[in-house]
Amino acid sequence: MGKRSTIIIIVLGAVVALWLYRKYRVAPNLDVEHLNLKNVDGSVLNSKDLRGKTLFVNYWATWCAECLQEMPSIEAAYNQTDHEKVVFLMITDDSPEKVQNFLKNHPY
């Protein structure tokens, strides 16, 4: 195998690896016992406030096409639940500005 073939294989491998990472990336492990989440409005939600409630947790991103496709069904589920018993946590590592802009165009 020549030098050129080796370079092509390495580049193709890197492209495939990047595509697989973006498509199948797994949400990080979360220490839910000591978790503080920042709401879009800047207020902080402590995991201790969630004790005794059922949690629906969705790790999403503004750039994620699959995430955007599931938003309407998540909203439908949210509208059909008792909010005293079930808490929906939509977690992202996008900046607050990106989330605010997203919510302007997608009012979920």
Side-chain angles (χ1 to χ4, degrees):
M1 188 182 303
K3 188 175 183 179
R4 184 174 182 196
S5 297
T6 303
I7 292 172
I8 290 172
I9 290 172
I10 290 171
V11 170
L12 286 175
V15 168
V16 169
L18 180 62
W19 178 80
L20 288 171
Y21 170 77
R22 298 232 5 169
K23 183 160 179 66
Y24 298 106
R25 155 177 126 157
V26 176
N29 290 331
L30 299 174
D31 179 8
V32 294
E33 290 294 320
H34 305 95
L35 187 63
N36 289 311
L37 301 171
K38 188 182 292 185
N39 288 316
V40 176
D41 64 7
S43 63
V44 175
L45 176 66
N46 187 295
S47 60
K48 293 176 186 175
D49 300 331
L50 305 174
R51 286 199 175 129
K53 297 185 180 192
T54 301
L55 300 180
F56 175 94
V57 180
N58 184 297
Y59 191 78
W60 70 286
T62 56
W63 51 263
C64 173
E66 289 87 1
C67 300
L68 302 182
Q69 289 176 342
E70 66 190 10
M71 288 287 187
S73 61
I74 293 171
E75 182 179 36
Y78 174 82
N79 290 332
Q80 296 174 18
T81 59
D82 178 351
H83 300 146
E84 294 295 318
K85 296 178 182 176
V86 181
V87 174
F88 282 68
L89 298 175
M90 306 296 286
I91 301 174
T92 184
D93 57 5
D94 285 340
S95 70
E97 295 78 22
K98 279 188 179 181
V99 174
Q100 289 287 358
N101 287 331
F102 173 84
L103 291 174
K104 287 178 187 175
N105 297 319
H106 306 90
Y108 297 111

